Amino acid sequence: MPDDMLPDAVLPDAMLKVEGLTSHYGRIQALKGVDIEVAPGELVALVGGNGAGKTTLLRTLSGVQPASGGRVVFEGQDITQAKPHARVKRGIAQVPEGRQVWGPLSVEDNLRLGAVLRRDREIAQDLERVYAMFPILKERRRQAAGTLSGGQQQMLAMGRALLTKPRLLLLDEPSMGLAPILVEQILTSVADLKRQGVTIFLVEQNAFAALKIADRGYVLETGKVVLSDSGAALLANERVKEAYLGV
Amino acid sequence: METFLQFLFSGLTVGAVYAIVALGFTIIYNASDVINFAQGEFVMLGGMCTVFFSLWGLPLPVAAVAAVIVTSLIGVALNKLAIEPARGANVVTLIIITIGASIFLRGLAQVVFDKQFHRLPSFSGDAPIDVLGATLTPQSLWVMGGAAVIVVVLWYFFTRTTFGKSILATSHNRLAARLVGINVELVLLTSFALSAAIGALAGILVTPITLTSFDAGTMLALKGFAAAILGGMGNPLGAVVGGLLVGIAEAMGAGYLSSEYKDAVAFVIILGVLFVLPSGLFGRRGTERV
């Protein structure tokens, strides 16, 4: 789709606005001008194949991968050059691909470090909320995080991100490498979070599962958004079906 | 028995210093994967700055505190000016940078201070204490006690405080640390400052016994490195145990064989560990499940 076909603002009150975002690894361009918007309270899915630039996009949004061009606007503020911790402070949290828990630290320490920037008095309360959401984590709170199973580590990574008290949660492939029953459980908790008012930007290779729970979706191919529509419409889209749903 | 005890005491005293140097290696290695061969210069700077600050008229305790602060600032500057600009460079490059920094600091000390040996007065006199027939100087107790306090404070810092844990978290997974908002630059800066501060403290405590001079750091760095390798690079408990073992081995070697071979002991240990037990006594055993 040529750029001039995209209206300037699809959502007048977008929480996150990404405009023409580019990013490079050395001389290789991984993002070639990405435009994405997420409104408050939405669950937006980004689907695409291996190497499409999904993880690069999320890392650029969190500031751990530099943007080489374009803008990232969060709640009206340009944060394109902001440091990662400044973005967390503003309310952007990410659950990274492959969980990335701190293996030798205890489950509870992993969670508490999610709140490292917070000074409010609700940390203990939020910790209990995460334990209520994932009771297995409470059971194993003194255990080293590295001894948890893959699914439990995914829960821990989500819990840790929730303890930053995010307004926008970026999820990178939460279902990767998990058994189908766990995929279901994880995606159910994602949908629960949305119901609790957290805005979610979900990146998935498992396009079917992601689009099923998403309000809207984008399709990323070789560093560019090639399609965007409601979740249901994308599920029915012939091109999406053929390329990503294996139908 | 008395001689054995005598050698043991002197081994534990130098071993305590090696343990602190090895801990300095460990802290920086864990936070940044850099093996900082300028670690010995921190020890030298602690001693030399205290000597000269007190020569310039400061009372000893004030001079000591000032020396720790100055050394920490030099540690921070080392990170900012030499390590950070080379971020992403490979391990050998970083090691060469730290060796360069160590030569630079030695030269700087030679110019700013002098080339003489210096000593500090013992903190609580020189009356020897008799223990089961062997003698122990009060300053030895200061060194061992000081090292013990440093170990306990570091242990508390890294396992009981959020900031300490966030340094550990950064060393285990830097990406995850940045994603929860841990300020990784601040973590690196703190690691260098902390490492320099404990090195300086060790230098101040041991100077009344061993004397100090601008090049006192070289051997200390190598022996602390031997201790860290023996204990398992990156493991704080290993650093302490390794330091004490290297110190004891050195004292026994000097006592029972010949003091000519004193310095060789540490190198024999390095070679032995690398041949037989490359990951050291407490080498990292992964608990990570993928």
Side-chain angles (χ1 to χ4, degrees), chain B residues 79-91:
Chain B
N79 176 44
K80 274 272 165 241
L81 303 177
I83 308 288
E84 245 187 45
R87 192 184 302 168
N90 63 46
V91 178

Side-chain angles (χ1 to χ4, degrees), chain B residues 259-270:
Chain B
S259 54
E260 304 262 308
Y261 296 135
K262 188 177 84 117
D263 291 334
V265 171
F267 301 108
V268 171
I269 289 176
I270 293 187

Side-chain angles (χ1 to χ4, degrees), chain B residues 117-204:
Chain B
F117 279 92
H118 294 278
R119 64 160 302 177
L120 287 169
S122 300
F123 299 170
S124 339
D126 293 308
I129 304 158
D130 187 89
V131 184
L132 302 170
T135 53
L136 196 54
T137 63
Q139 194 61 32
S140 286
L141 289 178
W142 270 100
V143 173
M144 291 187 258
V149 169
I150 289 172
V151 168
V152 170
V153 168
L154 285 179
W155 172 82
Y156 183 86
F157 175 69
F158 280 113
T159 62
R160 292 289 181 274
T161 70
T162 304
F163 190 39
K165 284 180 193 170
S166 67
I167 294 179
L168 283 187
T170 307
S171 75
H172 295 311
N173 189 325
R174 194 180 291 205
L175 171 69
R178 298 176 80 192
L179 288 176
V180 297
I182 292 171
N183 184 340
V184 174
E185 282 82 33
L186 184 65
V187 163
L188 288 180
L189 187 146
T190 311
S191 307
F192 276 85
L194 199 59
S195 198
I198 62 170
L201 271 171
I204 296 165

Side-chain angles (χ1 to χ4, degrees), chain A residues 59 62 64 83-85 88 94 96 100-105 109 113-114 116-117 146-149 153 160, chain B residues 159 162-163 165-166 168-170 172-185 287-290:
Chain A
R59 292 196 174 171
S62 281
V64 293
K83 297 233 176 201
H85 54 93
V88 174
Q94 180 177 161
Q100 317 283 350
V101 299
W102 295 299
L105 299 190
D109 278 346
L113 281 171
V116 73
L117 286 180
T147 64
L148 298 180
S149 73
Q153 289 193 10
R160 179 176 65 186
Chain B
T159 62
T162 304
F163 190 39
K165 284 180 193 170
S166 67
L168 283 187
T170 307
H172 295 311
N173 189 325
R174 194 180 291 205
L175 171 69
R178 298 176 80 192
L179 288 176
V180 297
I182 292 171
N183 184 340
V184 174
E185 282 82 33
T287 47
E288 218 115 359
R289 200 145 115 186
V290 187

